[in-house]
Amino acid sequence: MRIRSSLTNRWSSLPEARAAMPITRILIANRGEIALRIHRAAHEMGIETVAVHSTADADAMHVRLADHAICIGPPPAGQSYLNHAAIISAAEISGADAIHPGYGFLSENAQFAEIVESHDIAWIGPKPEHIRTMGDKVAAKKTAGDLGLPLVPGSAGAVETMDEIRAVADEIGYPVIAKAAAGGGGRGMQVITGPEKLEELVTQAKNEAQSAFGDDTMYVEKYLGNPRHIEFQVFGDGNGNAIHLGERDCSLQRRHQKVFEEAPSPVITPEERDRMGSIVSKAMADMGYRGAGTIEFLWEDGEFYFIEMNTRLQVEHPVTEMVTGVDLVREQIRVAEGHPLSVTQDEIELHGHAIECRINAEDPFTFAPSPGLVNYYHAAGGMHVRVDSGLYAGYRIPPYYDSMIAKLIVYGSSREKCMMRLRRALEEMVIEGVKHSVPLHQELLREPDVISGDYTIKWLEEWLAKRETD
Ligand code: ADP
């Protein structure tokens, strides 16, 4: 392991650093743009950071910016970013008093959260029991139902046998969707349009779930024909106080993965936002939820249907930050220090509109990954433009990890102005040496349905299929 010498902590005398249980040094158990995002919030609070990295990431920006850096293993994530023992050792060696897991990797691993806490290191995330419950989608659905959230009709719990699945499907009516209880990232789910293919598709979903999550427990729910994906950002202090920060619309998806997100949703009225927002924040208060969370719904014909809760910061959290002015990572750190939330529900006001484009190192037409050397990079800038990225000219994007290399987030006082600014910002982005999705976003922003906000979770797949045949 390598420890780089510490930079001086220039802001340690600010009052914020003298809280009841102040955090002074955060180990960031992640990489890429989210590691930078956390580093930035920490430094703005006068808190030092410790980067951990695999050998493939020795030259990564998150390693360069952190006060300390420790190599925790070889490129495969299982031996580095997912390696509990190496990360805990790195925290002990570097004297970190808190761990922030970011998203992905260990962020929703209840066992790891427990190990962190048992080492007297603050876990900047929800209580382990809430991570565990919400990570099992069957348990999550039951909890959500008990807390009064509207559910997608479906099996009461896990379904064991093919006969049981067939009976549930017959009762709720086709099409149905078989989903893995341990699912995530759109994997382990299959849409079943009729009884003929049920057995084959359920077996396929089970196999996928077994190999991706080591657990093939399935449940079944009604497959909604043409919904939007709308999610609420929630925040709790762990002591029975919780707020919501409005919704994000993440309906533009490819293979159940989000491509483009906006806040607020173009279809949600202020009254609907207030109604659903108070339901979700009351649910979080009743649970005693701590930290940031996202409650995901499908929305069809004016009705919300709970699908899952993510017990972590989301990739798309900046759009919420842009329209509320609340720094969610700062809030996470404060809550982990034992502070109450710094804002009340009455103080949360939505202003204007924000859109995020996920920029991946991949071919914008075939979606084939395109890792490699970035020989030129220029980020967009200007008023209300935010680029969260670890890119720099001369950086070699390793082939081992997620292909997302940047997020472009733009704010405007109205949705229309936001889109004008986004088009302008996309024109300014220059990433040379690898293929990337900027051209895809530019194309999308010329589409009348995207311009009017008239799209559902099916829209992008249909548009891509049409583009291929044209
Ligand atoms: P994951 O955890 O893998 O992301 P989710 O349960 O959040 O899985 O679902 C991901 C996406 O799959 C949703 O945003 C939606 O596009 C689609 N989906 C999930 N459940 C349903 C359903 N019952 N009907 C229609 N689409 C669904």
Side-chain angles (χ1 to χ4, degrees):
M1 289 190 181
R2 178 175 70 88
I3 304 192
R4 196 140 46 72
S5 65
S6 161
L7 298 177
T8 42
N9 187 350
R10 282 160 285 175
W11 302 284
S12 58
S13 58
L14 290 179
E16 199 116 37
R18 290 198 298 267
M21 289 162 56
I23 289 172
T24 59
R25 189 174 294 169
I26 297 174
L27 181 142
I28 301 167
N30 217 303
R31 63 182 299 283
E33 69 82 22
I34 195 60
L36 253 75
R37 170 70 191 89
I38 297 159
H39 165 85
R40 287 172 173 152
H43 262 210
E44 287 172 17
M45 296 170 81
I47 297 173
E48 286 186 27
T49 56
V50 181
V52 291
H53 65 91
S54 71
T55 50
D57 275 340
D59 294 326
M61 188 59 95
H62 79 278
V63 177
R64 292 178 173 214
L65 286 186
D67 300 304
H68 312 267
I70 300 181
C71 179
I72 49 165
Q79 294 171 55
S80 49
Y81 296 104
L82 293 170
N83 183 339
H84 296 193
I87 295 170
I88 297 289
S89 306
E92 297 281 358
I93 291 167
S94 62
D97 50 10
I99 293 184
H100 195 309
Y103 52 68
F105 293 133
L106 294 168
S107 60
E108 290 177 286
N109 186 314
Q111 192 199 2
F112 181 69
E114 279 163 355
I115 296 171
V116 170
E117 291 190 338
S118 72
H119 280 74
D120 276 335
I121 298 169
W123 168 250
I124 305 178
K127 297 173 187 172
E129 74 252 33
H130 291 154
I131 300 178
R132 183 166 284 123
T133 305
M134 293 303 177
D136 173 343
K137 290 194 183 180
V138 170
K141 236 181 136 171
K142 166 145 196 353
T143 307
D146 292 347
L147 289 166
L149 303 183
L151 306 178
V152 188
S155 56
V159 277
E160 306 285 342
T161 64
M162 226 32 105
D163 285 345
E164 226 182 301
I165 297 178
R166 202 176 289 282
V168 176
D170 285 341
E171 196 189 320
I172 57 179
Y174 290 92
V176 297
I177 180 165
K179 296 168 80 173
R187 286 170 302 170
M189 56 173 86
Q190 285 291 340
V191 180
I192 305 162
T193 50
E196 331 67 51
K197 283 209 144 187
L198 183 126
E199 197 155 339
E200 181 192 327
L201 291 170
V202 170
T203 309
Q204 211 170 308
K206 268 179 172 284
N207 290 343
E208 201 178 310
Q210 186 64 42
S211 63
F213 316 111
D215 175 357
D216 69 354
T217 310
M218 302 299 293
Y219 65 106
V220 177
E221 61 189 28
K222 179 83 189 155
Y223 182 68
L224 301 178
N226 213 6
R228 295 180 81 108
H229 174 117
I230 296 177
E231 56 185 36
F232 275 80
Q233 176 70 54
V234 289
F235 223 106
D237 68 358
N239 296 314
N241 301 300
I243 59 170
H244 76 91
L245 294 99
E247 81 286 354
R248 296 183 284 259
D249 197 316
C250 314
S251 302
L252 282 182
Q253 299 180 357
R254 175 178 172 266
R255 299 200 173 156
H256 302 307
Q257 299 227 32
K258 299 159 191 166
V259 170
F260 169 110
E261 302 100 347
E262 55 185 313
S265 166
V267 296
I268 300 299
T269 62
E271 296 71 38
E272 231 176 339
R273 175 173 310 115
D274 286 349
R275 185 182 67 83
M276 253 344 265
S278 37
I279 295 175
V280 292
S281 44
K282 179 172 182 309
M284 291 304 104
D286 289 351
M287 252 178 114
Y289 189 75
R290 182 183 77 199
T294 295
I295 308 194
E296 296 192 338
F297 295 96
L298 295 177
W299 182 90
E300 194 173 56
D301 300 330
E303 299 291 332
F304 283 95
Y305 302 93
F306 170 86
I307 45 171
E308 69 162 340
M309 176 169 183
N310 291 318
T311 51
R312 56 168 163 84
L313 197 67
Q314 303 267 103
V315 174
E316 59 273 22
H317 77 275
V319 290
T320 299
E321 297 186 322
M322 293 292 237
V323 296
T324 60
V326 176
D327 178 335
L328 292 172
V329 179
R330 183 187 185 92
E331 219 51 47
Q332 286 186 299
I333 296 170
R334 284 176 46 86
V335 164
E337 287 181 321
H339 290 293
L341 301 176
S342 69
V343 277
T344 62
Q345 189 69 63
D346 291 345
E347 288 165 350
I348 302 286
E349 278 179 28
L350 302 191
H351 291 283
H353 201 90
I355 299 178
E356 172 181 281
C357 293
R358 296 190 187 196
I359 300 172
N360 297 337
E362 65 189 15
D363 187 297
F365 298 96
T366 64
F367 298 98
S370 178
L373 181 68
V374 176
N375 44 41
Y376 189 76
Y377 173 63
H378 177 262
M383 194 168 177
H384 299 316
V385 173
R386 167 173 169 183
V387 179
D388 281 17
S389 171
L391 281 186
Y392 60 88
Y395 175 60
R396 186 172 287 280
I397 300 164
Y400 311 101
Y401 311 108
D402 192 274
S403 63
M404 197 179 74
I405 48 169
K407 303 188 311 202
L408 172 64
I409 310 111
V410 166
Y411 171 85
S413 55
S414 65
R415 189 169 183 273
E416 198 187 346
K417 289 191 176 125
C418 181
M419 290 209 155
M420 289 298 284
R421 181 167 287 134
L422 183 53
R423 287 188 197 97
R424 185 276 287 168
L426 282 163
E427 276 165 22
E428 286 182 22
M429 289 293 294
V430 182
I431 306 167
E432 279 177 10
V434 297
K435 293 180 180 165
H436 55 79
S437 34
V438 167
L440 171 74
H441 289 295
Q442 288 178 311
E443 251 190 280
L444 286 174
L445 284 164
R446 287 194 288 268
E447 282 299 319
D449 290 344
V450 174
I451 294 169
S452 64
D454 186 15
Y455 54 75
T456 68
I457 59 169
K458 297 257 180 83
W459 189 92
L460 184 56
E461 293 278 5
E462 285 169 6
W463 180 81
L464 289 169
K466 192 167 159 287
R467 185 176 71 161
E468 213 160 278
T469 53
D470 279 352

